[in-house]
Amino acid sequence: MAKQFSSISDRHRDFIAAQKVFFTGSCAAGARVNISPRSTEHLHVLGPNAVAYLDLTGSGSETAAHVKAEGALTVMLCAFDGPPSILRLYGKGCIAFRGTPDYVAVLDRFYGSAEPAGGRQIVFLAVDLVQTSCGYAVPLFDHVGERPILDRWAQAQGEEGLRAYRAEKNAASIDGLPTGFRDP
């Protein structure tokens, strides 16, 4: 049975910390719905109504385009081991691009000021609703580990290669919506 809360409780925070993967869902009028899986390695609870994650360079930037267009964003986590549960964080997103004060502040707070390989932007979510549900139909999986492929790819590209890649692949969504992305 679904339950709704106005903020992230300590119990929710503990659940988030125990998960290995989360999903983001976003959309804008006339655009395709985007759902992306991400490692919780880069997901951070900032407070009772705020989370952020470091978004690594990828082949698209749908979330940034959708957030720029309308702002609605959902983060979903589900237990793939242990007791079943699903947690959704609903709210408005905003993006902090590389080199901006908010981007640097997250790097300072969570990464010792060092930017992980391929860092692209920080996605912030102002949470206005937390919802939990049973998760009884979520299958059980064993977490083997993180894939090192994206880190190796980003390191091989080097800073100039990443800039060129992001300029080509991350300026607009697959539906042509601008992401607002810019490199410092």
Side-chain angles (χ1 to χ4, degrees), residues 9-168:
S9 69
D10 289 342
R11 193 175 108 248
H12 299 141
R13 184 187 289 258
D14 291 345
F15 177 80
I16 291 167
Q19 305 317 305
K20 304 296 183 199
V21 65
F22 72 101
F23 302 85
T24 58
S26 63
C27 191
R32 290 168 177 81
V33 174
N34 184 64
I35 302 169
S36 294
R38 302 175 185 287
S39 169
T40 56
E41 174 184 13
H42 298 299
L43 177 63
H44 309 285
V45 177
L46 304 177
N49 291 93
V51 297
Y53 65 90
L54 175 68
D55 188 32
L56 302 175
T57 300
S59 58
S61 194
E62 303 307 297
T63 301
H66 295 161
V67 164
K68 181 176 175 29
E70 297 185 8
L73 180 63
T74 300
V75 167
M76 184 189 81
L77 301 104
C78 47
F80 290 112
D81 61 5
S85 187
I86 298 171
L87 181 133
R88 290 180 180 89
L89 305 171
Y90 296 96
K92 293 287 184 182
C94 70
I95 307 295
F97 296 110
R98 294 179 74 234
T100 63
D102 287 338
Y103 184 91
V104 171
V106 169
L107 292 184
D108 289 347
R109 181 174 174 186
F110 296 105
Y111 299 95
S113 301
E115 184 179 48
R120 171 172 60 181
Q121 57 206 9
I122 304 291
V123 178
F124 291 92
L125 176 60
V127 177
D128 60 30
L129 179 67
V130 177
Q131 180 176 294
T132 60
S133 55
C134 68
Y136 293 163
V138 175
L140 294 168
F141 285 100
D142 290 325
H143 181 260
V144 176
E146 299 298 324
R147 295 178 194 259
I149 300 166
L150 186 60
D151 287 346
R152 287 195 310 248
W153 174 83
Q155 290 168 354
Q157 297 302 306
E159 187 57 35
E160 289 309 310
L162 286 169
R163 282 179 192 278
Y165 184 87
R166 289 188 290 253
E168 179 185 347

